[in-house]
Amino acid sequence: MVSIQEVAKHNKKNDVWVIIHGKAYDVTEFLPSHPGGTKIIMRYAGADCTKKFDPVHPPDTLDKYLPKDKHLGEVTGGLGIKEEEKTIDPNELKRLDMVKRMPPLHQIYNLMDFEYVARHTMEANGWAYYSSGCDDEITLRENHYAYQRIYFIPRILVNVTNVDFTTTMLGCKSSVPFYVTATALGKLGHQDGEKVLTRSCGSHGVIQMIPTLASCSFDEIVDAALPDQDQWFQLYVNSNRKVTEKLVRHAEARGMKGLFITVDAPQLGRREKDMRSKYLADAAEVQDEENDGEIDRSQGAARAISSFIDTGLCWEDLKWFRSITNMPIVLKGVLSTEDALKAISCGVQGIVLSNHGGRQLEFSRSGIEILADLMPILHKRGLTDKIEVFVDGGVRRATDILKAIALGAKGVGIGRPFLYAMSTYGDNGVKKAFQILKDELLMNMRLLGVTSLDQLNEDYVDTRGLLNRFNAGDELFHKVYEPLDNPKFKPKL
Ligand SMILES: Cc1cc2nc3c(=O)[nH]c(=O)nc-3n(C[C@H](O)[C@H](O)[C@H](O)COP(=O)(O)O)c2cc1C
């Protein structure tokens, strides 16, 4: 047992204690090696940091990384909340009011509706982390617009009474041709984090890709799945290959049915919305002594958690991955036909044409545009059965999914919409999002004149507009898309 008053005394760089879930920890020696930097810990030195800690650290973190003698025991005498945290700012009051007045779930008609509610009700840091893209967010918007340049060429007078949109991806049966792609830090949106997605996927027969940087521990997420529920594992490759190997072997041992190696993130993109939100949230933060009293302009949640990613990862490493796992290997983040062909020659089982939801290289092309380039080449060279091609980024309607399937994708990944559904309405929200897409799939397949996904091919789509990068005005999108902000002037003196 340790008193709250005692903890409060340990608030200097050479002597730091913090409180997490009612227990005190001595993090003095750990401070220099904290992947998120020292400043964020110093902000909570001598006080309770549970709220900041939870979204970014799986629950087993302290047991894994902090020696037992630094676990100081239960804290007595109330919560160690810092004074600045007790005053709620007016924006937060407005947000809390809107949380109370959220539209009922039955008024949510499409995936954009979730995003609209999330924009008004999510905590600022979570919203900024989820919604942000890189640089000017041109690629983020382009992902959405690209689908609007493809039109359908339907068939009429087909008996469409029975429609089947089930499919198989990497040998896993799925009730739908989409999957929940890997997105980090689920607890920024919901206290149960990624487990909300797991449970919803279980109840709807949807495949979930578990992120390396989940808020929940990997095992918690696997344990939340039904016995026969298929999951894949997304891997950020750690420069310490022993760590990577352990993760991969553990993932396979726990029944993962696919290893998605993220190959588009040797460095994380610059996500200014995320950075600015971090800056505003931390404006009251400790002054950075090493920086002439300037406030710490931290790089936002994304960079804080990603410093371990191996910048040296290259094609030659794929042989090593093959030697340590029997899981199908999929490269996530392929952006050119050249690399897609290389991936086939390296013998991987799949690729995801993806620009990471517009969060990495600005001005990378959308996955759907690359798909339209790639598939005719694969057909011509007789390579279509050598690899499964997936696509993600900007998918918001079943029509988007069906366009990708018609162009040869095995399935599509969807990221943010399920995060927003989770952050607003929890399990019921994600389940509703799945149901909306299922209803849209049924209706649109009937209207296209197809009764199963294998009937769709490039003859069902007109892609002539694809390369004219204009965009049709999209009112729903513009209402939910939050433009980048500018720097804030200091308050009047
Ligand atoms: C908040 C957020 C976190 C993400 N985290 C990861 C990650 O940890 N690993 C990864 O490979 N991709 C990550 N992605 C990229 C997604 O897997 C996917 O490529 C992207 O979200 C698809 O675009 P969409 O959000 O428009 O559907 C993330 C995307 C978002 C929005």
mmCIF file of all heavy atoms in Angstrom, residues 283-318:
data_model
loop_
_atom_site.group_PDB
_atom_site.id
_atom_site.type_symbol
_atom_site.label_atom_id
_atom_site.label_comp_id
_atom_site.label_asym_id
_atom_site.label_seq_id
_atom_site.Cartn_x
_atom_site.Cartn_y
_atom_site.Cartn_z
ATOM 1 N N ALA A 283 -1.590 21.470 -24.601
ATOM 2 C CA ALA A 283 -1.125 22.849 -24.501
ATOM 3 C C ALA A 283 -0.764 23.213 -23.069
ATOM 4 O O ALA A 283 0.098 24.035 -22.819
ATOM 5 C CB ALA A 283 -2.186 23.802 -25.038
ATOM 6 N N ALA A 284 -1.448 22.540 -22.134
ATOM 7 C CA ALA A 284 -1.155 22.828 -20.727
ATOM 8 C C ALA A 284 -0.031 21.951 -20.204
ATOM 9 O O ALA A 284 0.252 21.929 -19.016
ATOM 10 C CB ALA A 284 -2.414 22.599 -19.894
ATOM 11 N N GLU A 285 0.560 21.211 -21.140
ATOM 12 C CA GLU A 285 1.550 20.221 -20.737
ATOM 13 C C GLU A 285 2.810 20.872 -20.183
ATOM 14 O O GLU A 285 3.068 22.055 -20.359
ATOM 15 C CB GLU A 285 1.918 19.386 -21.966
ATOM 16 C CG GLU A 285 2.585 18.092 -21.599
ATOM 17 C CD GLU A 285 2.757 17.241 -22.840
ATOM 18 O OE1 GLU A 285 1.878 17.330 -23.703
ATOM 19 O OE2 GLU A 285 3.752 16.537 -22.932
ATOM 20 N N VAL A 286 3.618 20.032 -19.573
ATOM 21 C CA VAL A 286 4.884 20.522 -19.038
ATOM 22 C C VAL A 286 5.690 21.219 -20.119
ATOM 23 O O VAL A 286 5.669 20.834 -21.269
ATOM 24 C CB VAL A 286 5.736 19.350 -18.508
ATOM 25 C CG1 VAL A 286 5.254 18.905 -17.178
ATOM 26 C CG2 VAL A 286 5.819 18.216 -19.500
ATOM 27 N N GLN A 287 6.384 22.244 -19.740
ATOM 28 C CA GLN A 287 7.261 22.920 -20.686
ATOM 29 C C GLN A 287 8.458 22.014 -20.947
ATOM 30 O O GLN A 287 8.955 21.342 -20.055
ATOM 31 C CB GLN A 287 7.738 24.234 -20.084
ATOM 32 C CG GLN A 287 6.605 25.178 -19.750
ATOM 33 C CD GLN A 287 6.043 25.867 -20.973
ATOM 34 O OE1 GLN A 287 6.747 26.594 -21.629
ATOM 35 N NE2 GLN A 287 4.783 25.645 -21.276
ATOM 36 N N ASP A 288 8.886 21.986 -22.172
ATOM 37 C CA ASP A 288 9.987 21.117 -22.535
ATOM 38 C C ASP A 288 11.309 21.835 -22.260
ATOM 39 O O ASP A 288 11.712 22.732 -22.982
ATOM 40 C CB ASP A 288 9.853 20.780 -24.028
ATOM 41 C CG ASP A 288 11.015 19.958 -24.509
ATOM 42 O OD1 ASP A 288 11.857 19.593 -23.678
ATOM 43 O OD2 ASP A 288 11.049 19.690 -25.714
ATOM 44 N N GLU A 289 11.968 21.375 -21.184
ATOM 45 C CA GLU A 289 13.173 22.086 -20.762
ATOM 46 C C GLU A 289 14.277 22.044 -21.805
ATOM 47 O O GLU A 289 14.975 23.005 -22.036
ATOM 48 C CB GLU A 289 13.710 21.477 -19.461
ATOM 49 C CG GLU A 289 12.790 21.680 -18.285
ATOM 50 C CD GLU A 289 12.701 20.433 -17.414
ATOM 51 O OE1 GLU A 289 13.657 19.656 -17.386
ATOM 52 O OE2 GLU A 289 11.652 20.245 -16.779
ATOM 53 N N GLU A 290 14.391 20.884 -22.504
ATOM 54 C CA GLU A 290 15.477 20.786 -23.494
ATOM 55 C C GLU A 290 15.243 21.691 -24.691
ATOM 56 O O GLU A 290 16.053 21.807 -25.568
ATOM 57 C CB GLU A 290 15.610 19.354 -24.014
ATOM 58 C CG GLU A 290 16.048 18.365 -23.004
ATOM 59 C CD GLU A 290 14.897 17.449 -22.601
ATOM 60 O OE1 GLU A 290 13.750 17.945 -22.492
ATOM 61 O OE2 GLU A 290 15.158 16.298 -22.404
ATOM 62 N N ASN A 291 14.063 22.272 -24.766
ATOM 63 C CA ASN A 291 13.704 22.980 -25.976
ATOM 64 C C ASN A 291 13.403 24.450 -25.698
ATOM 65 O O ASN A 291 12.439 25.003 -26.204
ATOM 66 C CB ASN A 291 12.466 22.293 -26.574
ATOM 67 C CG ASN A 291 12.476 22.359 -28.069
ATOM 68 O OD1 ASN A 291 13.368 22.951 -28.648
ATOM 69 N ND2 ASN A 291 11.469 21.766 -28.685
ATOM 70 N N ASP A 292 14.203 25.062 -24.876
ATOM 71 C CA ASP A 292 14.058 26.475 -24.534
ATOM 72 C C ASP A 292 12.661 26.841 -24.075
ATOM 73 O O ASP A 292 12.110 27.868 -24.481
ATOM 74 C CB ASP A 292 14.409 27.370 -25.733
ATOM 75 C CG ASP A 292 15.890 27.300 -26.014
ATOM 76 O OD1 ASP A 292 16.643 26.969 -25.074
ATOM 77 O OD2 ASP A 292 16.280 27.551 -27.162
ATOM 78 N N GLY A 293 12.043 25.990 -23.304
ATOM 79 C CA GLY A 293 10.720 26.320 -22.775
ATOM 80 C C GLY A 293 9.603 26.193 -23.786
ATOM 81 O O GLY A 293 8.460 26.494 -23.491
ATOM 82 N N GLU A 294 9.917 25.748 -25.008
ATOM 83 C CA GLU A 294 8.857 25.535 -25.999
ATOM 84 C C GLU A 294 7.975 24.379 -25.566
ATOM 85 O O GLU A 294 8.446 23.420 -24.939
ATOM 86 C CB GLU A 294 9.498 25.159 -27.339
ATOM 87 C CG GLU A 294 9.747 26.337 -28.243
ATOM 88 C CD GLU A 294 8.460 26.803 -28.890
ATOM 89 O OE1 GLU A 294 7.987 26.143 -29.811
ATOM 90 O OE2 GLU A 294 7.936 27.853 -28.436
ATOM 91 N N ILE A 295 6.698 24.428 -25.947
ATOM 92 C CA ILE A 295 5.831 23.290 -25.640
ATOM 93 C C ILE A 295 6.228 22.117 -26.539
ATOM 94 O O ILE A 295 6.605 22.297 -27.691
ATOM 95 C CB ILE A 295 4.363 23.682 -25.855
ATOM 96 C CG1 ILE A 295 3.943 24.616 -24.716
ATOM 97 C CG2 ILE A 295 3.463 22.462 -25.916
ATOM 98 C CD1 ILE A 295 2.666 25.328 -24.969
ATOM 99 N N ASP A 296 6.140 20.935 -26.016
ATOM 100 C CA ASP A 296 6.484 19.731 -26.769
ATOM 101 C C ASP A 296 5.501 19.515 -27.926
ATOM 102 O O ASP A 296 4.358 19.164 -27.726
ATOM 103 C CB ASP A 296 6.419 18.538 -25.815
ATOM 104 C CG ASP A 296 6.502 17.219 -26.558
ATOM 105 O OD1 ASP A 296 7.027 17.215 -27.688
ATOM 106 O OD2 ASP A 296 6.055 16.205 -25.992
ATOM 107 N N ARG A 297 5.944 19.736 -29.147
ATOM 108 C CA ARG A 297 5.071 19.504 -30.298
ATOM 109 C C ARG A 297 5.204 18.040 -30.707
ATOM 110 O O ARG A 297 5.840 17.712 -31.698
ATOM 111 C CB ARG A 297 5.454 20.425 -31.454
ATOM 112 C CG ARG A 297 4.847 21.792 -31.276
ATOM 113 C CD ARG A 297 5.652 22.840 -32.007
ATOM 114 N NE ARG A 297 5.785 24.015 -31.168
ATOM 115 C CZ ARG A 297 4.906 25.001 -31.160
ATOM 116 N NH1 ARG A 297 3.883 24.976 -31.934
ATOM 117 N NH2 ARG A 297 5.087 26.024 -30.363
ATOM 118 N N SER A 298 4.608 17.219 -29.911
ATOM 119 C CA SER A 298 4.740 15.779 -30.127
ATOM 120 C C SER A 298 4.116 15.400 -31.462
ATOM 121 O O SER A 298 3.277 16.101 -31.995
ATOM 122 C CB SER A 298 4.056 15.051 -28.995
ATOM 123 O OG SER A 298 3.805 13.746 -29.371
ATOM 124 N N GLN A 299 4.513 14.262 -31.991
ATOM 125 C CA GLN A 299 4.087 13.853 -33.316
ATOM 126 C C GLN A 299 2.733 13.158 -33.320
ATOM 127 O O GLN A 299 2.377 12.522 -34.295
ATOM 128 C CB GLN A 299 5.141 12.914 -33.901
ATOM 129 C CG GLN A 299 6.491 13.567 -34.056
ATOM 130 C CD GLN A 299 6.542 14.510 -35.233
ATOM 131 O OE1 GLN A 299 6.440 14.089 -36.365
ATOM 132 N NE2 GLN A 299 6.660 15.790 -34.968
ATOM 133 N N GLY A 300 2.004 13.235 -32.238
ATOM 134 C CA GLY A 300 0.703 12.596 -32.216
ATOM 135 C C GLY A 300 0.821 11.139 -31.844
ATOM 136 O O GLY A 300 1.910 10.592 -31.725
ATOM 137 N N ALA A 301 -0.365 10.508 -31.702
ATOM 138 C CA ALA A 301 -0.399 9.126 -31.215
ATOM 139 C C ALA A 301 0.387 8.195 -32.132
ATOM 140 O O ALA A 301 1.091 7.298 -31.675
ATOM 141 C CB ALA A 301 -1.852 8.668 -31.125
ATOM 142 N N ALA A 302 0.271 8.442 -33.449
ATOM 143 C CA ALA A 302 0.825 7.478 -34.403
ATOM 144 C C ALA A 302 2.319 7.285 -34.232
ATOM 145 O O ALA A 302 2.806 6.173 -34.059
ATOM 146 C CB ALA A 302 0.521 7.949 -35.817
ATOM 147 N N ARG A 303 3.054 8.367 -34.265
ATOM 148 C CA ARG A 303 4.510 8.212 -34.221
ATOM 149 C C ARG A 303 5.001 7.726 -32.875
ATOM 150 O O ARG A 303 6.002 7.020 -32.776
ATOM 151 C CB ARG A 303 5.176 9.528 -34.567
ATOM 152 C CG ARG A 303 5.013 9.803 -36.053
ATOM 153 C CD ARG A 303 6.119 10.655 -36.577
ATOM 154 N NE ARG A 303 5.968 10.767 -38.018
ATOM 155 C CZ ARG A 303 6.667 11.578 -38.762
ATOM 156 N NH1 ARG A 303 7.565 12.359 -38.211
ATOM 157 N NH2 ARG A 303 6.482 11.620 -40.056
ATOM 158 N N ALA A 304 4.265 8.108 -31.833
ATOM 159 C CA ALA A 304 4.689 7.730 -30.481
ATOM 160 C C ALA A 304 4.793 6.216 -30.326
ATOM 161 O O ALA A 304 5.590 5.712 -29.568
ATOM 162 C CB ALA A 304 3.718 8.291 -29.462
ATOM 163 N N ILE A 305 3.951 5.490 -31.085
ATOM 164 C CA ILE A 305 3.888 4.052 -30.844
ATOM 165 C C ILE A 305 4.617 3.237 -31.901
ATOM 166 O O ILE A 305 4.572 2.022 -31.875
ATOM 167 C CB ILE A 305 2.421 3.586 -30.790
ATOM 168 C CG1 ILE A 305 1.703 3.998 -32.072
ATOM 169 C CG2 ILE A 305 1.729 4.124 -29.566
ATOM 170 C CD1 ILE A 305 0.328 3.406 -32.194
ATOM 171 N N SER A 306 5.292 3.882 -32.824
ATOM 172 C CA SER A 306 5.754 3.127 -33.985
ATOM 173 C C SER A 306 7.260 3.152 -34.188
ATOM 174 O O SER A 306 7.743 2.759 -35.244
ATOM 175 C CB SER A 306 5.076 3.685 -35.230
ATOM 176 O OG SER A 306 5.451 5.027 -35.374
ATOM 177 N N SER A 307 8.003 3.595 -33.175
ATOM 178 C CA SER A 307 9.432 3.791 -33.377
ATOM 179 C C SER A 307 10.186 2.478 -33.600
ATOM 180 O O SER A 307 11.297 2.463 -34.085
ATOM 181 C CB SER A 307 10.019 4.537 -32.186
ATOM 182 O OG SER A 307 9.625 3.884 -31.009
ATOM 183 N N PHE A 308 9.555 1.330 -33.267
ATOM 184 C CA PHE A 308 10.240 0.037 -33.379
ATOM 185 C C PHE A 308 10.253 -0.501 -34.799
ATOM 186 O O PHE A 308 10.933 -1.469 -35.105
ATOM 187 C CB PHE A 308 9.555 -0.985 -32.461
ATOM 188 C CG PHE A 308 8.175 -1.339 -32.932
ATOM 189 C CD1 PHE A 308 7.987 -2.367 -33.836
ATOM 190 C CD2 PHE A 308 7.065 -0.634 -32.490
ATOM 191 C CE1 PHE A 308 6.717 -2.691 -34.295
ATOM 192 C CE2 PHE A 308 5.797 -0.942 -32.946
ATOM 193 C CZ PHE A 308 5.627 -1.970 -33.848
ATOM 194 N N ILE A 309 9.462 0.086 -35.714
ATOM 195 C CA ILE A 309 9.272 -0.533 -37.038
ATOM 196 C C ILE A 309 10.579 -0.523 -37.832
ATOM 197 O O ILE A 309 11.286 0.476 -37.883
ATOM 198 C CB ILE A 309 8.143 0.183 -37.816
ATOM 199 C CG1 ILE A 309 6.829 0.026 -37.048
ATOM 200 C CG2 ILE A 309 8.010 -0.406 -39.218
ATOM 201 C CD1 ILE A 309 5.666 0.785 -37.645
ATOM 202 N N ASP A 310 10.879 -1.666 -38.452
ATOM 203 C CA ASP A 310 12.160 -1.875 -39.120
ATOM 204 C C ASP A 310 12.217 -1.143 -40.465
ATOM 205 O O ASP A 310 11.493 -1.492 -41.401
ATOM 206 C CB ASP A 310 12.355 -3.379 -39.343
ATOM 207 C CG ASP A 310 13.757 -3.700 -39.833
ATOM 208 O OD1 ASP A 310 14.540 -2.750 -40.060
ATOM 209 O OD2 ASP A 310 14.060 -4.890 -39.983
ATOM 210 N N THR A 311 13.099 -0.156 -40.561
ATOM 211 C CA THR A 311 13.256 0.567 -41.833
ATOM 212 C C THR A 311 14.075 -0.256 -42.833
ATOM 213 O O THR A 311 14.174 0.103 -43.999
ATOM 214 C CB THR A 311 13.977 1.913 -41.601
ATOM 215 O OG1 THR A 311 15.125 1.655 -40.787
ATOM 216 C CG2 THR A 311 13.084 2.921 -40.915
ATOM 217 N N GLY A 312 14.677 -1.339 -42.365
ATOM 218 C CA GLY A 312 15.523 -2.136 -43.256
ATOM 219 C C GLY A 312 14.790 -3.289 -43.931
ATOM 220 O O GLY A 312 15.392 -4.028 -44.725
ATOM 221 N N LEU A 313 13.501 -3.432 -43.672
ATOM 222 C CA LEU A 313 12.740 -4.555 -44.242
ATOM 223 C C LEU A 313 12.796 -4.525 -45.772
ATOM 224 O O LEU A 313 12.558 -3.482 -46.379
ATOM 225 C CB LEU A 313 11.271 -4.431 -43.781
ATOM 226 C CG LEU A 313 10.322 -5.537 -44.226
ATOM 227 C CD1 LEU A 313 10.666 -6.853 -43.545
ATOM 228 C CD2 LEU A 313 8.872 -5.145 -43.914
ATOM 229 N N CYS A 314 13.140 -5.666 -46.394
ATOM 230 C CA CYS A 314 13.178 -5.682 -47.864
ATOM 231 C C CYS A 314 12.802 -7.055 -48.432
ATOM 232 O O CYS A 314 12.546 -8.001 -47.684
ATOM 233 C CB CYS A 314 14.534 -5.213 -48.365
ATOM 234 S SG CYS A 314 15.883 -6.145 -47.678
ATOM 235 N N TRP A 315 12.770 -7.130 -49.772
ATOM 236 C CA TRP A 315 12.275 -8.332 -50.460
ATOM 237 C C TRP A 315 12.978 -9.594 -49.968
ATOM 238 O O TRP A 315 12.357 -10.643 -49.812
ATOM 239 C CB TRP A 315 12.462 -8.197 -51.977
ATOM 240 C CG TRP A 315 11.518 -7.201 -52.592
ATOM 241 C CD1 TRP A 315 11.812 -5.926 -52.972
ATOM 242 C CD2 TRP A 315 10.129 -7.400 -52.895
ATOM 243 N NE1 TRP A 315 10.692 -5.313 -53.486
ATOM 244 C CE2 TRP A 315 9.647 -6.203 -53.458
ATOM 245 C CE3 TRP A 315 9.244 -8.460 -52.732
ATOM 246 C CZ2 TRP A 315 8.326 -6.042 -53.873
ATOM 247 C CZ3 TRP A 315 7.917 -8.308 -53.158
ATOM 248 C CH2 TRP A 315 7.471 -7.105 -53.706
ATOM 249 N N GLU A 316 14.286 -9.504 -49.736
ATOM 250 C CA GLU A 316 15.059 -10.703 -49.335
ATOM 251 C C GLU A 316 14.506 -11.308 -48.036
ATOM 252 O O GLU A 316 14.646 -12.501 -47.786
ATOM 253 C CB GLU A 316 16.549 -10.357 -49.105
ATOM 254 C CG GLU A 316 17.349 -10.155 -50.382
ATOM 255 C CD GLU A 316 17.013 -8.821 -51.047
ATOM 256 O OE1 GLU A 316 17.069 -7.791 -50.354
ATOM 257 O OE2 GLU A 316 16.650 -8.818 -52.240
ATOM 258 N N ASP A 317 13.904 -10.466 -47.190
ATOM 259 C CA ASP A 317 13.411 -10.964 -45.899
ATOM 260 C C ASP A 317 12.242 -11.940 -46.036
ATOM 261 O O ASP A 317 11.920 -12.664 -45.094
ATOM 262 C CB ASP A 317 12.956 -9.788 -45.016
ATOM 263 C CG ASP A 317 14.131 -8.926 -44.613
ATOM 264 O OD1 ASP A 317 15.162 -9.499 -44.229
ATOM 265 O OD2 ASP A 317 14.018 -7.689 -44.692
ATOM 266 N N LEU A 318 11.599 -11.929 -47.207
ATOM 267 C CA LEU A 318 10.408 -12.783 -47.345
ATOM 268 C C LEU A 318 10.753 -14.259 -47.192
ATOM 269 O O LEU A 318 9.959 -15.051 -46.687
ATOM 270 C CB LEU A 318 9.716 -12.519 -48.691
ATOM 271 C CG LEU A 318 9.098 -11.123 -48.825
ATOM 272 C CD1 LEU A 318 8.454 -10.940 -50.188
ATOM 273 C CD2 LEU A 318 8.061 -10.888 -47.715
#
